[in-house]
Amino acid sequence: MGLIHIDLFTTLDGVAQAPGGPDEDPEGGFTFGGWQAPLIDEVVGEQIDAGMAGMDALLLGRRTYDIFAGYWPHARGDIAELFNRLPKYVASRRTPTLEWAGSTLLGPDVIASVRELRERHENIHVIGSLDFVQTLFAERLFDRLTLWVHPILLGSGKKVFAGGVVPTNLRLIEPVIASPKGAVLQRYALAEGTPGVGDMSAVDQQG
């Protein structure tokens, strides 16, 4: 069975809206589009490239798909070549026309459709797509969660962990990597069960 990877860029206060540019997603009056650009460095770039190794499908929400479809078919470079070559699956409540080559609209039962994709691909990556990601979180329908946490606070904007999150255990699967400009890469795997609880007073007494 294939793995579903969720890959997100986020601020320290969890905002993941429009990291790439001012026109990416101004919904809600968001004025910090492109907040990631001043914080990109060689380490971030190298790790982004490394994280794409083995990727054999893209799974996107409609808004992110539209952004990607407007940019990547006209871009050059290794990432553009990869994205243009891969099959792309789109989750949408409507029936949009998908003009980017290799694009397929998921069926009305999105959860069932995503489960079927795991039988057809080894490494399916969800990039951005914050609204859709909430659905995956709610169903615990992901296997890897990669977060690039950037050292800024924005105070407003769409959050990584919004309405879809349910109690979930995660396991850090590799050492944390910090970039010279302070972005921190954290890679987690979905773990079994739900978070446990305890009594810190018992720990204090032992100390």
Side-chain angles (χ1 to χ4, degrees):
M1 181 179 292
L3 303 178
I4 296 176
H5 303 250
I6 297 176
D7 305 328
L8 296 170
F9 303 114
T10 176
T11 65
L12 197 58
D13 58 337
V15 176
Q17 184 170 352
D23 299 323
E24 182 177 331
D25 181 7
E27 187 175 350
F30 188 68
T31 59
F32 286 98
W35 53 262
Q36 185 190 23
L39 300 169
I40 289 287
D41 56 35
E42 288 186 4
V43 171
V44 173
E46 290 171 357
Q47 290 301 317
I48 289 173
D49 289 344
M52 294 183 183
M55 181 189 300
D56 62 350
L58 280 171
L59 175 58
L60 305 171
R62 172 63 194 279
R63 180 183 291 275
T64 299
Y65 172 83
D66 286 344
I67 294 168
F68 279 25
Y71 177 78
W72 289 113
H74 315 290
R76 296 182 179 180
D78 292 342
I79 295 178
E81 181 180 345
L82 175 65
F83 284 4
N84 288 322
R85 172 173 52 83
L86 290 178
K88 293 158 281 284
Y89 301 95
V90 185
S92 177
R93 297 182 181 89
R94 302 180 182 180
T95 54
T97 300
L98 306 179
E99 298 183 352
W100 192 6
S103 299
T104 301
L105 183 66
L106 295 181
D109 188 341
V110 171
I111 298 304
S113 296
V114 171
R115 294 187 192 280
E116 290 175 4
L117 293 181
R118 298 170 90 181
E119 303 297 330
R120 296 158 56 184
H121 297 283
E122 293 296 323
N123 290 287
I124 306 157
H125 283 251
V126 182
I127 302 174
S129 308
L130 288 176
D131 291 339
F132 177 49
V133 162
Q134 302 311 308
T135 300
L136 299 179
F137 283 155
E139 297 290 331
R140 292 169 51 92
L141 187 51
F142 67 98
D143 303 283
R144 300 288 185 269
L145 175 62
T146 298
L147 299 175
W148 267 112
V149 183
H150 296 72
I152 56 173
L153 304 173
L154 295 181
S156 64
K158 297 177 183 178
K159 300 293 185 72
V160 172
F161 304 111
V165 175
V166 297
T168 302
N169 285 331
L170 300 173
R171 176 173 54 88
L172 190 67
I173 56 175
E174 64 181 48
V176 170
I177 297 173
S179 77
K181 291 188 176 181
V184 177
L185 172 63
Q186 304 169 25
R187 283 201 173 101
Y188 297 94
L190 182 67
E192 294 183 358
T194 56
V197 298
D199 186 347
M200 290 300 295
S201 64
V203 176
D204 293 339
Q205 290 173 6
Q206 292 175 3

